[in-house]
């Protein structure tokens, strides 16, 4: 989004000076803006994925709406006050590795900020040392609240905090044998790298299912995750690990800071139910050693 701000600024400066804008620049700016509007949460903020910082880029999208003459960007930037809602509720960006789901863009009876929204990370590691070990991690938001969140970078200073915020355990995904999906390095990874890719997507009026898979050089287990948004109202998330040998796996959900001290947890045979003021998580517990 910071790079996009520079692209939009270049277009604005060229037009103000009466100079032509290269078609390729305009084309790329359009693509980046489409990504930006889908990545935007319903509350107008953009999540802190990998080494990004949580930020509000609505002013940027509003500038782009004027320059590129796009009513969908104006809708996203104003929360549905002006412009026209985007044609697609969710979008897939398989090369960059992000997939979004959204219940809608708001209307006269339902504000845009109260829609449901999710993003799944199923692409390559970030460039250089900026990528976190977060394959198949998700963020979820609903009713104006952030439900599960990505921690972002916190710090660039090498040390235990930098290592933890990049780790698989810091994200909303599955760890295997307590290991990261990728061996930690401060900078660019060396040697074999963990991979992830989008397998399939089935989008219907009442059901949006995304399936993605990741593999790691750290272990022989392959993780497949299906994220299903049902009736634009709730999610069902299914994780499967396939391997020729036994492993210990842990599924983690990192809740928004507003749930501190107000989250209840009830564990019964085969089920853990976590209740927050905004939502309920029902999580099956598997203790079998079979894979």
């Amino acid at each position: 989004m910071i790079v996009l701000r520079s692209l939009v600024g270049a277009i604005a400066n060229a037009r103000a000076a009466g100079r032509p804008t290269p078609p390729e620049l305009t084309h790329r700016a359009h693509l980046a803006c489409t990504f930006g509007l889908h990545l935007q949460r319903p509350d107008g903020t953009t999540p802190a994925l990998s080494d990004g910082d949580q930020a509000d880029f609505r002013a940027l999208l509003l500038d782009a709406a004027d320059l590129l003459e796009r009513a969908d960007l104006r809708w996203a930037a104003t929360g549905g006050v002006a412009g026209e809602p985007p044609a697609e509720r969710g979008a897939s960006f398989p090369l960059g590795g992000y997939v979004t789901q959204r219940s809608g863009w708001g209307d006269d009876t339902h504000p845009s900020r109260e829609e449901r929204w999710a993003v799944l990370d199923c692409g390559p590691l970030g460039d250089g040392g900026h990528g976190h070990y977060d394959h198949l991690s998700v963020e979820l938001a609903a009713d104006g609240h952030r439900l599960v969140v990505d921690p972002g970078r916190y710090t660039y200073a090498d040390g235990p905090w930098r290592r933890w915020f990049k780790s698989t355990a810091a994200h909303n995904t599955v760890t295997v044998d307590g290991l990261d999906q990728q061996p930690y390095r401060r900078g660019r990874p060396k040697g074999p790298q963990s991979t992830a890719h989008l397998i399939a997507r089935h989008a219907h009026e009442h059901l949006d299912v995304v399936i993605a898979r990741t593999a790691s050089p750290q272990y022989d287990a392959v993780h497949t995750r299906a994220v299903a948004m049902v009736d634009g109202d709730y999610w069902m998330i299914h994780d499967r690990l396939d391997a020729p040998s036994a492993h210990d796996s842990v599924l983690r959900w990192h809740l928004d800071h507003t749930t501190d001290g107000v989250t209840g947890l009830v564990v019964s045979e085969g089920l853990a139910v976590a209740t927050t003021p905004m939502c309920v998580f029902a999580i099956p517990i598997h203790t079998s050693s079979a894979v």
Side-chain angles (χ1 to χ4, degrees):
M1 298 302 291
I2 294 173
V3 172
L4 176 58
R5 186 163 56 199
S6 296
L7 299 182
V8 171
I11 295 172
N13 288 335
R15 292 185 179 177
R19 300 179 63 87
T21 303
E24 182 67 9
L25 171 61
T26 304
H27 174 63
R28 293 294 176 178
H30 271 288
L31 294 177
C33 285
T34 297
F35 176 74
L37 77 87
H38 283 287
L39 196 65
Q40 180 180 290
R41 299 182 182 121
D43 68 0
T45 60
T46 296
L49 303 175
S50 286
D51 270 352
D53 294 320
Q54 181 174 274
D56 188 336
F57 292 100
R58 283 177 287 186
L60 169 59
L61 293 184
L62 193 58
D63 288 341
D66 291 333
L67 288 170
L68 303 178
E69 299 180 349
R70 287 186 50 174
D72 59 342
L73 295 180
R74 186 175 304 281
W75 184 278
T78 63
V81 174
E84 298 179 2
E88 302 293 333
R89 289 184 297 176
S92 300
F93 304 94
L95 294 182
Y98 294 107
V99 179
T100 65
Q101 296 175 325
R102 193 181 299 260
S103 57
W105 289 96
D107 52 35
D108 293 338
T109 61
H110 192 75
S112 177
R113 66 173 287 108
E114 294 183 3
E115 298 285 3
R116 271 86 164 129
W117 169 91
V119 60
L120 170 70
D121 185 337
C122 56
L125 294 174
D127 190 42
H130 290 292
H132 291 195
Y133 315 137
D134 57 356
H135 291 322
L136 307 196
S137 181
V138 299
E139 265 215 20
L140 305 175
D143 295 331
H145 300 286
R146 302 159 195 168
L147 305 182
V148 295
V149 296
D150 189 286
R153 65 177 175 87
Y154 181 63
T155 180
Y156 280 128
D158 196 23
W161 283 116
R162 175 63 172 164
R163 182 164 188 160
W164 190 87
F165 274 81
K166 289 185 69 171
S167 73
T168 303
H171 298 84
N172 303 301
T173 186
V174 175
T175 57
V176 177
D177 297 334
L179 299 171
D180 287 332
Q181 296 164 339
Q182 179 72 26
Y184 173 78
R185 274 181 57 82
R186 180 181 181 183
R188 183 186 303 275
K190 287 188 176 182
Q193 295 185 21
S194 58
T195 59
H197 62 279
L198 176 65
I199 296 176
R201 181 170 197 166
H202 173 77
H204 185 270
E205 181 180 0
H206 301 290
L207 182 66
D208 185 357
V209 182
V210 175
I211 303 174
R213 182 170 294 151
T214 182
S216 168
Q218 297 275 72
Y219 40 78
D220 59 13
V222 176
H223 175 200
T224 302
R225 167 167 279 187
V227 181
M229 174 182 272
V230 183
D231 279 335
D233 187 38
Y234 61 91
W235 288 275
M236 295 183 66
I237 299 177
H238 179 268
D239 292 292
R240 177 186 175 95
L241 274 73
D242 294 285
S245 57
H247 296 276
D248 291 323
S249 61
V250 177
L251 170 62
R252 287 179 169 84
W253 295 110
H254 296 274
L255 308 184
D256 186 71
H257 71 93
T258 56
T259 64
D260 288 350
V262 292
T263 299
L265 179 63
V266 176
V267 179
S268 59
E269 185 175 353
L271 188 67
V273 178
T275 304
T276 80
M278 288 82 75
C279 64
V280 175
F281 296 84
I283 306 167
I285 299 173
H286 298 286
T287 58
S288 172
S289 60
V291 177

